[in-house]
Amino acid sequence: MRDIAGTVACIDGNTFMVSDSSGDVESSPATPVGLFAADTRFLSRWMLFVNGECMTALSVDDSQYYEVSFFVVPGAAVDYVQADVSAIRRRRIGPDLTESLTIFNYGERDTDLDVRLEVAADFADIFEIKFDVGEKVGTHYTHVGPNELRLGYRRGTYQREVVVSASEPAEFDPDGIRFRVRLRPGEQWSTQLQADMRALRPDGVDLRSALRALRPDDSTLPTSLRAWVEAAPTLDTDSVALQQVYHRSLVDLAALRFAPLSLSGAAVPAAGLPWFMTLFGRDSLLTCLQTLAVTPSLTPPTLRILASLQGARTDDVLEEDPGRILHELRYGESAAFEEQPHSPYYGTVDASPLFVVLLDEYERWSGDTALVTELEQEARAALAWIDQYADLTSTGYIWYQRRNRATGLDNQCWKDSWDSISYADGRLPGFPRATCETQGYAYDAKIRGARLARTVWGDPEFADQLEREAAALYDRFNRDFWLEDRGYYALALDHDGTPVDSLSSNIGHLLWSGIVPPERAPRVVEHLMGPRLFSGWGVRTFADGQGRYNPLGYHNGTVWPFDNSFIAWGLRRYGFTTEAGRIAESILSAATYFEGRLPEAFGGFDRDTTRYPVRYPTAGSPQAWSSGACMLLIRTMLGLDPHEDHLAVAPALPAAFGRIALLDIPGRWGKADAFARQRPNQP
């Protein structure tokens, strides 16, 4: 699995290994390569040498996310044709790391080999690597046994270990393992290397043992992947490229499933490699919304886990409030010692309304009223949070201003980089801030919450209240955020109510939330599909011509596939099916330049200028909501929606994809009501 530039990744949920193309790991403090689990790097060096020479890759097979094979030879590339000795490294990630090493002698004489694996573990927290900060304050220790090398790190009650062993006789020392091998002509030698990762409690119990109990080894991964793919609807299409993207997205979602340590047994999507291999409120909820038509099994455990961790008190360090849905949950050293507030951290303003949105959307698809009943109190608490805790200025909007001044997020919307919210001239607004799309989510949550209250919870008075609040928000929002002279909605409100007048992709989210009056929708769509926002590869996060616009700015001009999938969904909701199809074509065509995998983001350069999408240098890949984008775009093109009479709604299929059919869709319609849609008269 190719991810970070020039590297190869092997993934199983939030356990993953990133190496170079020969399988070696030689990390620097700020480089996200190594063996990781639970936000900790357990191996920072894993270097193979044969007779003192490092290995050069001839071929890499990374077709399975959980397994990678490297065909390597010792020495420099110029020695390929002279290589009598070669090797295959087969690496597999499960609860731990297993790597088989086989060495071949194709020479004409006996060969003595000194096979050396150099091993080191820095136990760096993922935040140490991401921000390249700090020295370790705990104690590293090493234990060399006759059959293993144990490397560990201890800081107070926090303890992590990795134990390296081999199936063949070996010499262990503090820096690695050595094998003395003699091979006759045509002979081969093999060993299996094992690296077991442990997160130890003060009483010595390994917190990761629950993961091994669920899956004792990695042997179930092929079966699990096959079952996952077979459970998804079948995509029948003329487009080979679309079929590739769909399958790649399914596999990547399988790779990102993981069970949080504190709630083992539930498979939820990690946000993405390498920095976000953990539970995120916003990312997980939006990924589940995108994938309901294809992989609805992700949704119940995600809702249950987020409900179980819902805020219950007021805590300024964690930015927790009663009813607030978390932003991010971490297990590393910095979270354990509150150097980062992610244990969990609640600094997001959109996860709480999105929790209610997903709960309602899931019930519409599945008919699972039992889950809606089970999570009634959590949904009510999330709705209460919107008005009781998020309205910082008593103006009826969701606002944010960080309370954790040391390590909290400045921007707590989906565009959470420090400069993502700015005026058209580049000035940064003050705090608190109220972004436009968050108000749309709140409106949608109230409308959906009212439906659940009336049809499932048996509380018509609460339903009436929510509908009144939604109507008032609708009117208020369309008065305060609409910029009549420009024909679009402000990106945000400044602390004093001044509209932040930037043109951004956020206005597309307003369409799928339904807060835009029908008569204003054409003007919004004109901007979304105009040259300032639409690059030809998708809608940019920020319009060309704004003060902070940069086609390679993280939230200031790049194209995000997830963002575009929701914009397309909103366009179709308002009847702009041709425009929705254009976005679907642009994003899915871009995926073909990334081997079928949509990255977190890519450059916002014009399609006519580059003729190919430009890679964003540090984009996460695979990314859950980028993989989910394919699913939502297919759903949007087909007009598949439980909100309406789907057979009566025109499809949004671009001619480039020809015929598309999605068969055996899970949910309340059942397999007998499989859904297919194609353009008329397609060959």
Side-chain angles (χ1 to χ4, degrees):
M1 185 174 280
R2 310 301 171 89
D3 299 286
I4 308 162
T7 64
V8 180
C10 196
I11 303 175
D12 179 28
N14 73 343
T15 304
F16 62 98
M17 188 169 187
V18 182
S19 69
D20 66 17
S21 59
S22 69
D24 282 338
V25 169
E26 186 172 21
S27 65
S28 65
T31 305
V33 298
L35 175 64
F36 293 82
D39 303 312
T40 300
R41 179 160 59 192
F42 282 83
L43 286 175
S44 52
R45 185 171 177 82
W46 188 259
M47 297 280 293
L48 178 63
F49 297 88
V50 175
N51 290 339
E53 294 185 300
C54 62
M55 311 306 288
T56 297
L58 298 186
S59 179
V60 178
D61 176 11
D62 58 351
S63 57
Q64 303 294 337
Y65 65 82
Y66 52 82
E67 184 176 73
V68 181
S69 295
F70 307 87
F71 192 94
V72 295
V73 294
V78 294
D79 297 328
Y80 283 178
V81 295
Q82 304 298 327
D84 292 333
V85 174
S86 57
I88 295 178
R89 306 172 74 169
R90 291 190 176 92
R91 174 174 300 155
R92 183 173 280 196
I93 289 288
D96 297 291
L97 166 67
T98 301
E99 183 170 318
S100 66
L101 171 64
T102 302
I103 300 179
F104 306 88
N105 177 19
Y106 291 111
E108 299 177 352
R109 64 188 66 183
D110 291 359
T111 300
D112 290 313
L113 301 176
D114 176 14
V115 182
R116 171 75 174 167
L117 183 70
E118 294 189 358
V119 181
D122 63 0
F123 297 100
D125 184 283
I126 192 71
F127 284 101
E128 293 177 45
I129 302 168
K130 184 176 183 179
F131 300 114
D132 189 18
V133 295
E135 295 289 334
K136 304 294 282 185
V137 297
T139 302
H140 289 84
Y141 59 89
T142 301
H143 172 75
V144 179
N147 300 308
E148 68 178 31
L149 170 62
R150 183 189 304 265
L151 303 174
Y153 175 78
R154 182 184 291 109
R155 178 182 172 190
T157 60
Y158 178 90
Q159 187 176 1
R160 299 291 184 265
E161 282 187 351
V162 60
V163 180
V164 180
S165 59
S167 63
E168 298 300 307
E171 302 169 16
F172 292 87
D173 62 66
D175 299 314
I177 313 172
R178 172 168 276 114
F179 304 92
R180 313 280 185 179
V181 179
R182 184 175 182 83
L183 291 179
R184 295 190 297 272
E187 193 175 21
Q188 67 184 52
W189 169 88
S190 296
T191 188
Q192 181 165 291
L193 303 163
Q194 185 81 14
D196 294 335
M197 296 168 283
R198 300 173 181 173
L200 299 173
R201 294 190 328 202
D203 60 3
V205 172
D206 180 11
L207 293 170
R208 302 190 75 250
S209 60
L211 302 180
R212 298 187 189 92
L214 288 171
R215 191 175 63 242
D217 53 45
D218 55 25
S219 63
T220 60
L221 284 170
T223 302
S224 173
L225 174 59
R226 185 166 56 252
W228 173 263
V229 173
E230 290 175 352
T234 300
L235 179 66
D236 182 16
T237 176
D238 299 327
S239 172
V240 174
L242 181 58
Q243 190 68 257
Q244 178 196 25
V245 179
Y246 180 69
H247 181 75
R248 178 77 268 170
S249 298
L250 267 178
V251 171
D252 284 347
L253 285 169
L256 292 168
R257 292 172 301 167
F258 82 108
L261 289 180
S262 58
L263 296 149
S264 297
V268 299
L273 190 86
W275 306 117
F276 310 119
M277 299 298 280
T278 189
L279 177 68
F280 277 74
R282 174 196 310 120
D283 298 51
S284 299
L285 291 164
L286 290 175
T287 298
C288 289
L289 272 170
Q290 292 171 316
T291 59
L292 275 173
V294 178
T295 59
S297 61
L298 287 175
T299 294
T302 298
L303 287 169
R304 286 189 173 106
I305 284 180
L306 292 175
S308 72
L309 297 169
Q310 188 174 36
R313 57 180 182 147
T314 299
D315 186 313
D316 289 344
V317 173
L318 303 180
E319 305 208 37
E320 179 181 1
D321 300 312
R324 196 172 194 179
I325 299 296
L326 67 82
H327 171 58
E328 183 175 355
L329 175 64
R330 294 286 184 175
Y331 297 97
E333 181 180 357
S334 62
F337 289 92
E338 296 187 349
E339 295 157 349
Q340 296 286 342
H342 300 90
S343 58
Y345 176 57
Y346 291 85
T348 178
V349 291
D350 44 20
S352 299
L354 288 172
F355 179 87
V356 181
V357 170
L358 177 60
L359 183 62
D360 173 73
E361 188 76 3
Y362 171 73
E363 192 280 329
R364 291 176 189 260
W365 278 93
S366 66
D368 185 0
T369 57
L371 184 65
V372 176
T373 300
E374 175 189 335
L375 299 180
E376 175 182 354
Q377 296 308 312
E378 290 83 359
R380 285 176 178 267
L383 288 164
W385 176 84
I386 293 172
D387 298 309
Q388 295 178 17
Y389 295 94
D391 187 4
L392 302 181
T393 65
S394 300
T395 53
Y397 295 122
I398 292 179
W399 300 80
Y400 63 81
Q401 179 173 11
R402 67 173 181 170
R403 302 181 341 236
N404 180 339
R405 304 300 298 173
T407 54
L409 287 171
D410 277 332
N411 284 313
Q412 299 186 355
C413 52
W414 88 257
K415 293 178 179 177
D416 57 5
S417 54
W418 69 275
D419 63 344
S420 62
I421 308 300
S422 67
Y423 284 93
D425 61 8
R427 290 177 296 121
L428 297 179
F431 291 98
R433 297 171 181 172
T435 58
C436 66
E437 82 289 349
T438 308
Q439 318 313 317
Y441 302 160
Y443 170 78
D444 198 14
K446 288 176 182 290
I447 293 293
R448 291 171 181 267
R451 189 189 80 86
L452 296 179
R454 182 168 285 115
T455 62
V456 182
W457 301 334
D459 191 344
E461 290 83 3
F462 186 44
D464 291 343
Q465 173 192 329
L466 289 172
E467 287 172 346
R468 288 193 301 271
E469 292 171 356
L473 175 57
Y474 182 95
D475 292 340
R476 186 167 57 247
F477 175 83
N478 280 287
R479 179 194 68 216
D480 296 341
F481 278 80
W482 179 248
L483 305 175
E484 177 61 34
D485 59 331
R486 306 192 192 189
Y488 61 82
Y489 289 91
L491 170 59
L493 295 184
D494 205 333
H495 68 286
D496 59 0
T498 302
V500 178
D501 59 350
S502 295
L503 176 59
S504 70
S505 67
N506 300 54
I507 61 176
H509 289 239
L510 299 175
L511 294 174
W512 77 262
S513 72
I515 201 171
V516 177
E519 64 273 15
R520 286 181 176 172
R523 298 183 70 184
V524 172
V525 174
E526 183 180 353
H527 285 290
L528 287 168
M529 305 307 298
R532 296 178 65 195
L533 276 176
F534 189 67
S535 73
W537 295 115
V539 177
R540 301 179 180 97
T541 47
F542 210 53
D544 189 355
Q546 307 292 283
R548 291 182 179 269
Y549 170 73
N550 180 347
L552 288 177
Y554 190 57
H555 290 128
N556 292 328
T558 51
V559 172
W560 286 59
F562 113 83
D563 189 26
N564 277 261
S565 71
F566 282 98
I567 293 170
W569 192 16
L571 287 167
R572 190 189 166 282
R573 174 172 183 164
Y574 279 77
F576 293 91
T577 55
T578 300
E579 291 80 359
R582 283 185 66 196
I583 289 179
E585 186 280 328
S586 66
I587 293 295
L588 295 171
S589 295
T592 64
Y593 292 86
F594 300 107
E595 299 178 329
R597 171 182 293 147
L598 286 165
E600 176 185 22
F602 52 86
F605 298 96
D606 285 338
R607 190 168 183 170
D608 292 339
T609 300
T610 62
R611 294 182 295 177
Y612 51 84
V614 175
R615 288 185 179 271
Y616 182 75
T618 58
S621 178
Q623 196 88 355
W625 61 11
S626 292
S627 298
C630 167
M631 316 303 186
L632 185 54
L633 289 171
I634 290 173
R635 170 182 164 181
T636 297
M637 287 190 293
L638 291 173
L640 178 58
D641 203 317
H643 296 258
E644 55 199 16
D645 179 5
H646 53 279
L647 295 177
V649 178
L653 286 178
F657 294 138
R659 177 179 54 84
I660 301 177
L662 199 60
L663 310 175
D664 295 337
I665 299 167
R668 71 197 313 165
W669 292 327
K671 292 191 174 184
D673 195 12
F675 184 86
R677 189 64 73 82
Q678 65 186 63
R679 293 174 62 88
N681 303 318
Q682 285 293 319

